[in-house]
Amino acid sequence: MSLIVMKFGGSSVGSTERMQRVARRIADYKEAGHGVVVVVSAMGDTTDDLIDQSKQLNEKPPVREMDMLLAVGEQISVALLAMAIDAIGHKSKSFTGWQAGIETEAVHGKARITDIRPDRIHEAVESGHAVIVAGFQGATVQGEITTLGRGGSDTTAVALAAAIKADVCEIYTDVDGVYSTDPRVVKCARKLDEISYDEMLELANLGAAVLHPRAVEYAKNYNVKLVVRSSFTQNEGTSVKEEAVMEQGMVVRGIAYDKNVARISILGVGDVPGVLAKVFGALASSGIDVDIIVQSGTQEGKADFAFTVSSNDRDKAISVVESIRGEVPYRELTSEQNLVKVSIVGAGMVSNPGVAAKMFAAIYDLGINLIMVTTSEIRLSVVITAERAQEVVLALHSAYGLDTAEQAFVGGPQDRR
Ligand code: ADP
Ligand code: ASP
Ligand code: MG
């Protein structure tokens, strides 16, 4: 008997019919003698709908109340799924995050898990129940309900798998696995049999929504055996592991893009020590994540620098920089929206020269200007304007030999949710 964690995303439980299908899959594992712990997301677009409703009442809802509201989405799913499993003759018990022993830091909207006490889960598994846990939520030691950030049910699943020492954590979604790029956008994307934790972490951080970055971080830290597969087909999925075999001649494993990029430029700043420390210190204190930072050369004792933030944080970042103008005087502050960061990722990039040159050449051939460039050992990102981002992704996908001849997208329905 294995102990298996199965996580079903919003589209997989988007209707009662889909819930029934999921219940059948869970029952199959139980009938095969496995212990099963299931993590579920809110049904379909429930989380988005709840956010819309809150905004109709309050443009800036209190974060505590927002967590109280959003946690409800997952609670509906767990109860319904437990009922569906009961209906086909299997014992099942649903738990909220708190009941499952998931403790988080006291941060609303994006809390990290600090501890898991899975006693009740073990008890329920041992008494033959399929255990259904609400994803995306936990509670602080003070008993306040928190959520883990959008897409956070993946993190619940992997963290639980680590805590109960599950044999495998299966993430069921609406595509057949992890692809070389988003298969909903690039039809000739290639399904990957394997990908390393490090590569997956880069792709997830760089915009590939298929797994939440924190879930991958957890899987790497606790060496959780992770598989991404479709809840709509029986096809084998993608294994996410420490070392993944790279197909012959393939240096780039995947391409990700992030459409939510804004650039802020601060021009004519005094070229004196401490400027960057003050600006980025102030941004960090305001909870703004800064991504790429570029400083240009100095002229007459003045420097220019630019950085990128998520588009949602642009206005806040501008106010923060303006608020410290007394301490860090500058000549001008400008900003640009509608930028896209396109990234290539592959463990093989470390030992293969010419990967960057190929990327730049492919973009140059399209006559597209690079606004910013940044690299790490296993990735290279460029920032370009949004209009032609899709062309760039397609060109890079074929430049690095990732295209498949057949239509790669075989999972899931036409309509997402
Ligand atoms: P779930 O509701 O199951 O958590 P998500 O929407 O969060 O599903 O994640 C699955 C989606 O991720 C897919 O429908 C696909 O459009 C998108 N995606 C983006 N990049 C990739 C990739 N490289 N491989 C697979 N899917 C990707
Ligand atoms: N329901 C939450 C969301 O939509 C969490 C999740 O689906 O993972 O973001
Ligand atoms: Mg998701």
Side-chain angles (χ1 to χ4, degrees):
M1 167 189 149
S2 302
L3 182 56
I4 302 175
V5 172
M6 308 170 83
K7 179 258 166 177
F8 293 91
S11 51
S12 304
V13 291
S15 63
T16 46
E17 290 75 32
R18 288 186 185 180
M19 287 252 185
Q20 282 170 327
R21 225 166 27 200
V22 166
R24 189 60 253 163
R25 258 189 126 123
I26 295 166
D28 288 345
Y29 271 175
K30 287 214 52 59
E31 285 161 16
H34 302 304
V36 186
V37 175
V38 182
V39 173
V40 232
S41 294
M43 293 172 74
D45 290 331
T46 303
T47 309
D48 288 330
D49 294 344
L50 291 171
I51 294 172
D52 288 348
Q53 275 182 321
S54 72
K55 297 273 183 248
Q56 285 167 27
L57 297 168
N58 188 335
E59 250 314 300
K60 283 197 176 151
V63 286
R64 178 186 184 277
E65 302 314 325
M66 205 61 199
D67 275 355
M68 289 293 286
L69 177 71
L70 296 190
V72 173
E74 269 66 12
Q75 291 177 33
I76 294 173
S77 296
V78 288
L80 288 176
L81 184 56
M83 290 174 196
I85 295 169
D86 179 82
I88 52 173
H90 283 271
K91 290 202 281 186
S92 179
K93 207 173 215 178
S94 67
F95 292 106
T96 65
W98 176 80
Q99 289 174 321
I102 298 173
E103 185 191 299
T104 75
E105 57 184 3
V107 176
H108 286 292
K110 219 179 183 176
R112 281 180 180 272
I113 296 174
T114 46
D115 194 16
I116 299 185
R117 276 165 278 101
D119 311 351
R120 290 187 73 179
I121 294 183
H122 283 307
E123 238 169 70
V125 171
E126 272 150 33
S127 57
H129 291 84
V131 175
I132 320 292
V133 179
F136 170 64
Q137 56 174 270
T140 66
V141 263
Q142 286 80 25
E144 291 288 83
I145 289 178
T146 49
T147 60
L148 311 181
R150 296 304 305 268
S153 297
D154 294 340
T155 310
T156 306
V158 181
L160 269 182
I164 63 172
K165 300 192 172 46
D167 295 286
V168 61
C169 178
E170 298 187 329
I171 306 283
Y172 288 83
T173 184
D174 57 2
V175 288
D176 269 348
V178 179
Y179 282 71
S180 50
T181 193
D182 190 338
R184 292 189 181 280
V185 178
V186 177
K187 294 293 175 211
C188 58
R190 168 189 298 263
K191 198 196 96 194
L192 306 172
D193 294 333
E194 318 188 327
I195 185 166
S196 71
Y197 292 130
D198 288 334
E199 291 168 318
M200 192 62 239
L201 189 55
E202 290 278 10
L203 285 177
N205 270 319
L206 294 164
V210 64
L211 279 177
H212 193 282
R214 276 189 190 165
V216 186
E217 223 173 83
Y218 241 103
K220 179 178 164 61
N221 290 344
Y222 295 91
N223 210 8
V224 174
K225 190 167 173 235
L226 193 60
V227 176
V228 180
R229 57 191 302 191
S230 168
S231 64
F232 298 93
T233 70
Q234 293 290 340
N235 299 344
E236 260 183 48
T238 303
S239 224
V240 189
K241 52 200 330 207
E242 188 59 45
E243 298 274 344
V245 176
M246 183 69 84
E247 265 183 60
Q248 189 91 38
M250 225 167 261
V251 195
V252 169
R253 183 98 62 181
I255 301 175
Y257 54 90
D258 177 358
K259 292 191 198 150
N260 277 312
V261 179
R263 177 167 77 148
I264 296 175
S265 305
I266 309 181
L267 311 174
V269 195
D271 187 23
V272 291
V275 165
L276 293 187
K278 281 179 196 153
V279 172
F280 295 108
L283 290 165
S285 315
S286 305
I288 298 171
D289 282 332
V290 174
D291 184 18
I292 307 173
I293 303 171
V294 178
Q295 177 164 11
S296 59
T298 43
Q299 255 189 343
E300 293 163 12
K302 299 282 180 201
D304 298 338
F305 68 93
F307 57 91
T308 61
V309 293
S310 149
S311 317
N312 308 329
D313 283 339
R314 183 188 70 154
D315 294 346
K316 199 167 157 199
I318 291 174
S319 330
V320 169
V321 176
E322 283 172 348
S323 73
I324 56 166
R325 196 169 187 172
E327 257 183 282
V328 183
Y330 54 83
R331 190 183 71 246
E332 197 184 345
L333 182 78
T334 63
S335 73
E336 280 161 275
Q337 285 274 56
N338 291 329
L339 300 177
V340 174
K341 182 171 67 171
V342 180
S343 309
I344 55 171
V345 172
M349 284 167 61
V350 190
S351 50
N352 280 283
V355 178
K358 189 181 261 188
M359 183 177 199
F360 299 145
I363 299 173
Y364 173 69
D365 283 348
L366 294 171
I368 293 171
N369 197 29
L370 298 180
I371 299 172
M372 288 170 129
V373 177
T374 177
T375 66
S376 82
E377 253 192 346
I378 62 163
R379 70 126 162 170
L380 207 161
S381 305
V382 296
V383 175
I384 54 176
T385 51
E387 299 85 57
R388 300 190 61 194
Q390 184 141 342
E391 263 178 88
V392 169
V393 172
L394 287 171
L396 295 175
H397 200 265
S398 88
Y400 289 106
L402 295 170
D403 293 354
T404 48
E406 80 260 51
Q407 288 260 311
F409 176 55
V410 288
Q414 293 305 313
D415 277 336
R416 287 227 43 211
R417 308 274 185 198

